[in-house]
Amino acid sequence: MGLPATGKTTFLAALWHLVESGEIADALRLVKLEGDREYVNDLTRRWLRCDPMPRTPAGTEQLVSMRLADQATNNETDVVFPDLSGEAFRNQWSQRTWSESYQALVDDAAGTLLVVHPERIVEPYRIDEARELIEAVGGGNEEPADSSNSVGWSHDLSPTQVILIDLLQLIEARRTRDRPLRLAILVSAWDTVANTQQPDAWLTARLPLLRQYLSCNESFWSTRLYGISAQGGDLQQNKTALLRHMEPSRRLKIVGADSAAHDLTAPIRWLLS
Amino acid sequence: MMEDAAPADKDVGEVPKHFGDAGVPLYSGLELDPQTVVVATRDELARVILIAGPEGSGKTTLLTTLYESFQRGPFSGHTFAGSFTLPAFERLCHFSRIASQRASAETERTPPGEQRRYLHLRLLRDGKERPQDFLFTDLAGEQFRLVSDSEEECRRLTVARRADHVSILADGQKITIADARPTVMNDARRLIRSLLDCDMIGPETLVEVIVSKWDLIASLGPQSDALNYVNNFENELKKLFSARLGRLECTRIAARPEGTQVPFAFGIGELLNLWSQDSLLLTKQPPEIETVLPPSSEFERFATRHERADPT
């Protein structure tokens, strides 16, 4: 799950190539893909060319089902990934409804992947905070702007951390199966985050309200954080270098608990364990 | 979302077609009505805070500032654990945010409604094992005057009997005006007296008299008439009513001060600490918020799950 343009589909494309190619020894390996593979193959072709991923329009969501094997133990597991559009999750927040199909996912899920993008976070900046900053740099003497053109409230203007908390609360409220959920938070485009930061510290700094909510609700949400780069770098600035990898899976980057280099399946392995 | 790992030799089933279709209604996220309040918070014996004050005294700003204080991290020894009314809070906060494209912060006036409504926060106090539910409701405008003036109206305010705290705001801006000053504090005194005389509050009730917009009084200096008036009146209130109440505290807040002399949310942390102290009302079975329980709902499952997760 995740809001629009957070990298969910890019993750899926990279994951499909990773498990299908077997290029990374520690990663889960594809045994079988269920159903129509045209969708994931098309995504992966784009990923291999380092082309930007298309947005998943609402109403065209796909269900991707794979049988994966742990290369260390040879244990096989069927895993189903609904590739839902970010708009579908935004609509849950604004329209306060979801489909019967999604309700079934909520009831049956063993775990949840939540993707957040560090450059797509709406912050709850207050007007008084802005005024302090302006005064600090010597401004604030101008005529105040006319407030007659102010913008009315809509759900879309809400801070990212508030929306994400509510999406998780909705799952907690509606899940009929009485079993906690594992939650793997994937911070995408991790290559844009400072090298010195770890995912836990990033969450505390950038989404502090979400961090608080998760720390108080560990009886329902068991959480791990990962920083991932499913493209491996900036497609505009580094495309040539990215295309040079003989094994494209080596473009992938992941930081987090029990995650070997390039192994984007580490969060999934944890969710299923 | 990832579905349960199925045995390796079993089909996972057909692909659902309609993830985008609406079909299952979710809780609205707007202010809670009395029915939903009871179901949503029954396991936690929620703290009910009744906030009273005339229009413009800062009731809603107080609550939005409390909510905003958690956006950057834990606040005043409390950690945010959730809220059933996040969209409601967001709507109320909007005109104090840059996203509104306003030049100055404003709080939307609360329109009068027929049914009592509650905002909800769940907070975990440092040192406690379980979060505490807080339900905030207000007594405003016309009703504020009627409850003070009419015994019949006062007795209709049944939420006062269930309120762990009755917090009465006195408008600091009006206190700075000599003509308006006597009325402001006398309104607070008359409300307390009316509620006590009608047995709507008593020895189990914790009362706070809160002077809002304290930055405006502070800016007048340490010897101002306004400041002296507040100090004197607070002493008078304590003498009059402390013996008849669980506790009477007088506090000063500046939820959204003008200028930078007084910090944002001045006094709100101390007020929160007063609200989250052990309730005198909950030492015995509290009266129910008067309602009829609805059929089983998502809130009921949510409440039951928390009950099982943290057995007392």
mmCIF file of all heavy atoms in Angstrom, chain B residues 53-54 139-157 187 190-191 194-195 198:
data_model
loop_
_atom_site.group_PDB
_atom_site.id
_atom_site.type_symbol
_atom_site.label_atom_id
_atom_site.label_comp_id
_atom_site.label_asym_id
_atom_site.label_seq_id
_atom_site.Cartn_x
_atom_site.Cartn_y
_atom_site.Cartn_z
ATOM 1 N N GLY B 53 -16.984 27.856 27.162
ATOM 2 C CA GLY B 53 -16.508 29.221 26.988
ATOM 3 C C GLY B 53 -17.333 29.938 25.952
ATOM 4 O O GLY B 53 -17.919 29.292 25.085
ATOM 5 N N PRO B 54 -17.411 31.244 26.031
ATOM 6 C CA PRO B 54 -18.170 31.993 25.030
ATOM 7 C C PRO B 54 -17.496 31.918 23.670
ATOM 8 O O PRO B 54 -16.341 31.492 23.553
ATOM 9 C CB PRO B 54 -18.163 33.425 25.590
ATOM 10 C CG PRO B 54 -17.074 33.477 26.591
ATOM 11 C CD PRO B 54 -16.809 32.097 27.060
ATOM 12 N N LEU B 139 -19.059 23.346 25.254
ATOM 13 C CA LEU B 139 -20.265 24.076 25.640
ATOM 14 C C LEU B 139 -20.019 25.503 25.200
ATOM 15 O O LEU B 139 -19.121 26.173 25.713
ATOM 16 C CB LEU B 139 -20.452 23.991 27.150
ATOM 17 C CG LEU B 139 -21.612 24.811 27.725
ATOM 18 C CD1 LEU B 139 -22.932 24.227 27.291
ATOM 19 C CD2 LEU B 139 -21.511 24.836 29.247
ATOM 20 N N ALA B 140 -20.757 25.928 24.213
ATOM 21 C CA ALA B 140 -20.386 27.182 23.566
ATOM 22 C C ALA B 140 -21.559 28.106 23.360
ATOM 23 O O ALA B 140 -22.714 27.699 23.420
ATOM 24 C CB ALA B 140 -19.769 26.859 22.199
ATOM 25 N N GLY B 141 -21.194 29.336 23.114
ATOM 26 C CA GLY B 141 -22.135 30.337 22.636
ATOM 27 C C GLY B 141 -23.394 30.449 23.459
ATOM 28 O O GLY B 141 -23.357 30.649 24.686
ATOM 29 N N GLU B 142 -24.512 30.307 22.780
ATOM 30 C CA GLU B 142 -25.813 30.492 23.404
ATOM 31 C C GLU B 142 -26.007 29.518 24.572
ATOM 32 O O GLU B 142 -26.528 29.890 25.627
ATOM 33 C CB GLU B 142 -26.903 30.289 22.340
ATOM 34 C CG GLU B 142 -28.317 30.488 22.849
ATOM 35 C CD GLU B 142 -28.612 31.934 23.195
ATOM 36 O OE1 GLU B 142 -27.846 32.829 22.751
ATOM 37 O OE2 GLU B 142 -29.582 32.178 23.914
ATOM 38 N N GLN B 143 -25.583 28.279 24.386
ATOM 39 C CA GLN B 143 -25.789 27.288 25.444
ATOM 40 C C GLN B 143 -24.983 27.635 26.684
ATOM 41 O O GLN B 143 -25.411 27.366 27.810
ATOM 42 C CB GLN B 143 -25.424 25.889 24.940
ATOM 43 C CG GLN B 143 -26.025 24.796 25.820
ATOM 44 C CD GLN B 143 -25.612 23.404 25.418
ATOM 45 O OE1 GLN B 143 -24.641 23.204 24.711
ATOM 46 N NE2 GLN B 143 -26.341 22.414 25.906
ATOM 47 N N PHE B 144 -23.811 28.216 26.481
ATOM 48 C CA PHE B 144 -22.979 28.649 27.604
ATOM 49 C C PHE B 144 -23.760 29.627 28.484
ATOM 50 O O PHE B 144 -23.784 29.503 29.715
ATOM 51 C CB PHE B 144 -21.702 29.303 27.058
ATOM 52 C CG PHE B 144 -20.752 29.800 28.099
ATOM 53 C CD1 PHE B 144 -19.840 28.942 28.687
ATOM 54 C CD2 PHE B 144 -20.749 31.129 28.474
ATOM 55 C CE1 PHE B 144 -18.945 29.407 29.633
ATOM 56 C CE2 PHE B 144 -19.862 31.600 29.416
ATOM 57 C CZ PHE B 144 -18.953 30.730 30.004
ATOM 58 N N ARG B 145 -24.440 30.558 27.861
ATOM 59 C CA ARG B 145 -25.218 31.535 28.628
ATOM 60 C C ARG B 145 -26.442 30.884 29.257
ATOM 61 O O ARG B 145 -26.777 31.126 30.419
ATOM 62 C CB ARG B 145 -25.661 32.691 27.725
ATOM 63 C CG ARG B 145 -24.572 33.696 27.413
ATOM 64 C CD ARG B 145 -25.149 34.886 26.684
ATOM 65 N NE ARG B 145 -25.660 34.526 25.365
ATOM 66 C CZ ARG B 145 -24.888 34.360 24.296
ATOM 67 N NH1 ARG B 145 -23.578 34.510 24.369
ATOM 68 N NH2 ARG B 145 -25.420 34.043 23.129
ATOM 69 N N LEU B 146 -27.112 30.033 28.486
ATOM 70 C CA LEU B 146 -28.349 29.427 28.988
ATOM 71 C C LEU B 146 -28.090 28.555 30.212
ATOM 72 O O LEU B 146 -28.872 28.556 31.160
ATOM 73 C CB LEU B 146 -28.988 28.577 27.875
ATOM 74 C CG LEU B 146 -29.683 29.363 26.761
ATOM 75 C CD1 LEU B 146 -30.113 28.418 25.643
ATOM 76 C CD2 LEU B 146 -30.889 30.120 27.299
ATOM 77 N N VAL B 147 -27.018 27.800 30.189
ATOM 78 C CA VAL B 147 -26.713 26.910 31.320
ATOM 79 C C VAL B 147 -26.473 27.724 32.584
ATOM 80 O O VAL B 147 -26.824 27.317 33.691
ATOM 81 C CB VAL B 147 -25.503 26.017 30.979
ATOM 82 C CG1 VAL B 147 -24.973 25.304 32.206
ATOM 83 C CG2 VAL B 147 -25.886 25.003 29.916
ATOM 84 N N SER B 148 -25.870 28.893 32.427
ATOM 85 C CA SER B 148 -25.627 29.755 33.593
ATOM 86 C C SER B 148 -26.916 30.398 34.086
ATOM 87 O O SER B 148 -27.084 30.628 35.285
ATOM 88 C CB SER B 148 -24.630 30.866 33.237
ATOM 89 O OG SER B 148 -23.387 30.328 32.873
ATOM 90 N N ASP B 149 -27.835 30.687 33.151
ATOM 91 C CA ASP B 149 -29.025 31.476 33.504
ATOM 92 C C ASP B 149 -30.229 30.635 33.864
ATOM 93 O O ASP B 149 -31.121 31.109 34.572
ATOM 94 C CB ASP B 149 -29.398 32.387 32.330
ATOM 95 C CG ASP B 149 -28.330 33.426 32.048
ATOM 96 O OD1 ASP B 149 -27.458 33.630 32.919
ATOM 97 O OD2 ASP B 149 -28.348 34.022 30.947
ATOM 98 N N SER B 150 -30.295 29.407 33.362
ATOM 99 C CA SER B 150 -31.511 28.611 33.503
ATOM 100 C C SER B 150 -31.226 27.273 34.169
ATOM 101 O O SER B 150 -30.402 26.496 33.703
ATOM 102 C CB SER B 150 -32.130 28.372 32.119
ATOM 103 O OG SER B 150 -33.037 27.295 32.140
ATOM 104 N N GLU B 151 -31.943 27.018 35.264
ATOM 105 C CA GLU B 151 -31.761 25.731 35.956
ATOM 106 C C GLU B 151 -32.188 24.587 35.052
ATOM 107 O O GLU B 151 -31.554 23.526 35.017
ATOM 108 C CB GLU B 151 -32.594 25.732 37.242
ATOM 109 C CG GLU B 151 -32.404 24.476 38.076
ATOM 110 C CD GLU B 151 -33.157 24.535 39.390
ATOM 111 O OE1 GLU B 151 -33.271 25.648 39.963
ATOM 112 O OE2 GLU B 151 -33.628 23.472 39.838
ATOM 113 N N GLU B 152 -33.254 24.803 34.295
ATOM 114 C CA GLU B 152 -33.742 23.750 33.395
ATOM 115 C C GLU B 152 -32.678 23.413 32.347
ATOM 116 O O GLU B 152 -32.400 22.238 32.085
ATOM 117 C CB GLU B 152 -35.019 24.228 32.700
ATOM 118 C CG GLU B 152 -35.656 23.183 31.805
ATOM 119 C CD GLU B 152 -36.896 23.713 31.102
ATOM 120 O OE1 GLU B 152 -37.429 24.762 31.515
ATOM 121 O OE2 GLU B 152 -37.316 23.076 30.132
ATOM 122 N N GLU B 153 -32.084 24.419 31.743
ATOM 123 C CA GLU B 153 -31.041 24.161 30.745
ATOM 124 C C GLU B 153 -29.823 23.512 31.387
ATOM 125 O O GLU B 153 -29.165 22.658 30.804
ATOM 126 C CB GLU B 153 -30.630 25.476 30.068
ATOM 127 C CG GLU B 153 -31.642 26.021 29.085
ATOM 128 C CD GLU B 153 -31.878 25.090 27.916
ATOM 129 O OE1 GLU B 153 -30.917 24.449 27.446
ATOM 130 O OE2 GLU B 153 -33.040 24.970 27.475
ATOM 131 N N CYS B 154 -29.531 23.945 32.578
ATOM 132 C CA CYS B 154 -28.365 23.377 33.267
ATOM 133 C C CYS B 154 -28.566 21.877 33.502
ATOM 134 O O CYS B 154 -27.647 21.087 33.293
ATOM 135 C CB CYS B 154 -28.145 24.105 34.585
ATOM 136 S SG CYS B 154 -26.580 23.679 35.388
ATOM 137 N N ARG B 155 -29.751 21.521 33.910
ATOM 138 C CA ARG B 155 -29.997 20.094 34.190
ATOM 139 C C ARG B 155 -30.025 19.261 32.924
ATOM 140 O O ARG B 155 -29.869 18.042 32.972
ATOM 141 C CB ARG B 155 -31.309 19.932 34.956
ATOM 142 C CG ARG B 155 -31.232 20.503 36.366
ATOM 143 C CD ARG B 155 -32.434 20.081 37.200
ATOM 144 N NE ARG B 155 -32.415 20.787 38.484
ATOM 145 C CZ ARG B 155 -31.658 20.439 39.516
ATOM 146 N NH1 ARG B 155 -30.841 19.394 39.413
ATOM 147 N NH2 ARG B 155 -31.691 21.134 40.639
ATOM 148 N N ARG B 156 -30.209 19.908 31.776
ATOM 149 C CA ARG B 156 -30.186 19.165 30.500
ATOM 150 C C ARG B 156 -28.745 18.829 30.088
ATOM 151 O O ARG B 156 -28.539 17.997 29.213
ATOM 152 C CB ARG B 156 -30.807 20.030 29.391
ATOM 153 C CG ARG B 156 -32.283 20.010 29.367
ATOM 154 C CD ARG B 156 -32.797 20.285 27.970
ATOM 155 N NE ARG B 156 -34.214 20.607 28.090
ATOM 156 C CZ ARG B 156 -34.775 21.703 27.638
ATOM 157 N NH1 ARG B 156 -34.065 22.606 26.995
ATOM 158 N NH2 ARG B 156 -36.066 21.915 27.815
ATOM 159 N N LEU B 157 -27.782 19.458 30.691
ATOM 160 C CA LEU B 157 -26.379 19.256 30.289
ATOM 161 C C LEU B 157 -25.832 17.995 30.956
ATOM 162 O O LEU B 157 -24.912 18.030 31.777
ATOM 163 C CB LEU B 157 -25.546 20.481 30.692
ATOM 164 C CG LEU B 157 -24.122 20.548 30.123
ATOM 165 C CD1 LEU B 157 -24.152 20.709 28.620
ATOM 166 C CD2 LEU B 157 -23.362 21.703 30.766
ATOM 167 N N ASP B 187 -18.587 35.512 34.192
ATOM 168 C CA ASP B 187 -19.244 34.440 33.439
ATOM 169 C C ASP B 187 -18.737 33.079 33.897
ATOM 170 O O ASP B 187 -19.514 32.124 34.061
ATOM 171 C CB ASP B 187 -18.970 34.593 31.938
ATOM 172 C CG ASP B 187 -19.849 35.662 31.301
ATOM 173 O OD1 ASP B 187 -20.804 36.108 31.948
ATOM 174 O OD2 ASP B 187 -19.557 36.042 30.148
ATOM 175 N N ARG B 190 -20.193 32.310 37.378
ATOM 176 C CA ARG B 190 -21.634 31.987 37.362
ATOM 177 C C ARG B 190 -21.859 30.588 36.792
ATOM 178 O O ARG B 190 -22.741 29.861 37.251
ATOM 179 C CB ARG B 190 -22.387 33.023 36.540
ATOM 180 C CG ARG B 190 -22.736 34.264 37.340
ATOM 181 C CD ARG B 190 -23.862 35.028 36.655
ATOM 182 N NE ARG B 190 -23.384 35.664 35.429
ATOM 183 C CZ ARG B 190 -22.852 36.885 35.389
ATOM 184 N NH1 ARG B 190 -22.724 37.590 36.498
ATOM 185 N NH2 ARG B 190 -22.445 37.404 34.254
ATOM 186 N N LEU B 191 -21.066 30.189 35.796
ATOM 187 C CA LEU B 191 -21.239 28.855 35.231
ATOM 188 C C LEU B 191 -20.919 27.786 36.272
ATOM 189 O O LEU B 191 -21.667 26.808 36.431
ATOM 190 C CB LEU B 191 -20.350 28.670 33.999
ATOM 191 C CG LEU B 191 -20.439 27.281 33.353
ATOM 192 C CD1 LEU B 191 -21.832 27.039 32.770
ATOM 193 C CD2 LEU B 191 -19.391 27.111 32.251
ATOM 194 N N SER B 194 -23.700 27.628 38.825
ATOM 195 C CA SER B 194 -24.920 27.018 38.295
ATOM 196 C C SER B 194 -24.780 25.504 38.216
ATOM 197 O O SER B 194 -25.674 24.757 38.619
ATOM 198 C CB SER B 194 -25.205 27.595 36.902
ATOM 199 O OG SER B 194 -26.368 27.042 36.348
ATOM 200 N N LEU B 195 -23.652 25.035 37.716
ATOM 201 C CA LEU B 195 -23.441 23.578 37.601
ATOM 202 C C LEU B 195 -23.407 22.922 38.985
ATOM 203 O O LEU B 195 -23.915 21.813 39.166
ATOM 204 C CB LEU B 195 -22.137 23.308 36.845
ATOM 205 C CG LEU B 195 -22.141 23.664 35.345
ATOM 206 C CD1 LEU B 195 -20.731 23.581 34.762
ATOM 207 C CD2 LEU B 195 -23.077 22.744 34.569
ATOM 208 N N CYS B 198 -26.989 22.825 40.575
ATOM 209 C CA CYS B 198 -27.868 21.837 39.922
ATOM 210 C C CYS B 198 -27.307 20.431 40.035
ATOM 211 O O CYS B 198 -27.825 19.502 39.398
ATOM 212 C CB CYS B 198 -28.047 22.202 38.449
ATOM 213 S SG CYS B 198 -28.946 23.732 38.181
#
